[in-house]
Amino acid sequence: MAATARVIDIHVVADSTGDTGTRVARATQAQFPGHDVRVVRHPRLHTPQGVDDVVAQLRTDPAAAVVFCTVVDDALRSRVLDACAALDVPCADLLAPAIDAFTARTGAQPARVVQPVGLAADYFDRIHAMEFAVANDDGHLTDGLDEAQVVLVGASRTGKTPLSMYLGYLGYPTANIPLVPGVAPPRELFEVERWKVVGLTIDPERLLEIRRRRVHAMGAAGLSGYADLARIHDELDEVSRLQRRLGCPVLDTTALALEEAAGRVVELVAARRRALAPDADPGTTDRATADPAATDHEEEP
């Protein structure tokens, strides 16, 4: 089936982390492979104003929006449902059928409060992934890239380390490798499965700002070229050529929050795995249906 031209935004509206809604969104997306889907998470909504801010986003393009709601507070939940009805945005109230079924069986009424649900089933996998990210940071390949589920490559200070650590927290063993002009990348980078590799880039002026702060903090006056705009342009051009040699998609991190960047990386890797290695174990990247934050603890306080 050919992909549709319009991107469908699944807005996950939650008064906790939004993990449950995002899992269902990913599972739903998997049933419509011909559609380009973006999952937009709106977590920890506890006030009418928070809901209204989400509604304002929906109003910008309601024809491309779907809402998955896991809000347990009755008043806020009704506000979400009413707004969706007014905008003609399809809305799935995900928790209501489950809560109603349990109420029908027990006669008990739900507490309607956000509650922790205990230790995630994949807790120890995530601990291992975090340890992997630390051990394989900044080109120090302690464990080798075969064990990685994600490999990030990019110039210095493009966000590789914090993104690696966050992906590790989410359960994805991630290695990151700096691409340095004039220095050959490690041989393993050209041998790893292509679908694992994602390039990072950033706006040159933003990178200049970050590096100047870094140089100032280090008191490293001898690194002036590291924070020179003309040299940064040249460096990013060379890094871009290396990324093209690797055949990897490139994510611009300039305006992305860490959580959004992580979600984009997971989506890219999952899509490329399906395209390049369809017989691979789905668990390698589709952890909990490729959810970038699938940690089995929806109702965290």
Side-chain angles (χ1 to χ4, degrees):
M1 179 187 300
T4 57
R6 162 162 277 185
V7 176
I8 301 299
D9 289 331
I10 301 180
H11 293 264
V12 176
V13 181
D15 46 12
S16 184
T17 61
D19 290 346
T20 296
T22 304
R23 283 171 176 260
V24 176
R26 296 296 179 205
T28 302
Q29 178 185 9
Q31 300 304 311
F32 297 92
H35 290 71
D36 193 359
V37 175
R38 178 172 53 201
V39 178
V40 184
R41 194 188 294 227
H42 306 279
R44 305 191 188 284
L45 297 176
H46 301 297
T47 65
Q49 182 58 53
V51 173
D52 291 346
D53 290 343
V54 175
V55 173
Q57 293 186 44
L58 296 176
R59 192 172 287 118
T60 62
D61 192 6
V66 175
V67 170
F68 286 5
C69 178
T70 60
V71 174
V72 297
D73 179 272
D74 263 335
L76 294 181
R77 172 174 159 270
S78 295
R79 198 178 190 93
V80 172
L81 299 180
D82 290 346
C84 288
L87 293 172
D88 198 24
V89 171
C91 179
D93 187 0
L94 300 180
L95 292 182
I99 290 174
D100 290 346
F102 196 84
T103 296
R105 173 54 62 200
T106 65
Q109 294 302 311
R112 296 291 181 187
V113 294
V114 177
Q115 295 280 4
V117 298
L119 190 65
D122 62 352
Y123 173 78
F124 293 105
D125 288 340
R126 291 193 291 121
I127 292 296
H128 170 72
M130 286 187 281
E131 291 174 344
F132 184 95
V134 171
N136 295 274
D137 180 42
D138 203 30
H140 302 292
L141 303 180
T142 304
D143 298 292
L145 297 183
D146 285 344
E147 295 186 35
Q149 292 182 12
V150 181
V151 179
L152 302 177
V153 294
S156 172
R157 316 312 294 179
T158 51
K160 299 185 303 301
T161 291
L163 186 51
S164 293
M165 300 305 161
Y166 188 74
L167 286 165
Y169 163 73
L170 298 178
Y172 300 92
T174 302
N176 78 80
I177 298 174
L179 298 180
V180 181
V183 178
R187 172 181 49 81
E188 295 91 335
L189 183 56
F190 293 93
E191 298 173 350
V192 71
E193 293 170 285
R194 296 294 88 202
W195 53 265
K196 295 183 178 184
V197 183
V198 176
L200 301 183
T201 191
I202 194 170
D203 177 76
E205 293 189 1
R206 174 61 178 154
L207 183 56
L208 174 65
E209 179 186 342
I210 294 170
R211 288 188 174 180
R212 279 179 173 170
R213 289 203 302 265
R214 175 71 169 170
V215 169
H216 179 74
M218 295 174 61
L223 295 178
S224 57
Y226 178 75
D228 176 84
L229 185 57
R231 292 193 184 183
I232 285 175
H233 276 284
D234 291 341
E235 179 181 350
L236 290 179
D237 285 344
E238 184 167 341
V239 167
S240 178
R241 287 193 291 271
L242 282 170
Q243 290 169 334
R244 287 197 295 272
R245 279 181 58 200
L246 291 166
C248 63
V250 178
L251 181 66
D252 189 332
T253 62
T254 306
L256 293 180
L258 187 61
E259 296 87 346
E260 185 177 3
R264 298 275 187 89
V265 167
V266 170
E267 289 175 353
L268 285 169
V269 172
R272 281 167 59 78
R273 182 195 60 75
R274 289 192 294 268
L276 300 178
D279 296 329
D281 176 9
T284 55
T285 52
D286 289 349
R287 180 184 307 278
T289 60
D291 171 20
T295 54
D296 263 341
H297 51 85
E298 161 62 24
E299 304 307 333
E300 284 189 351

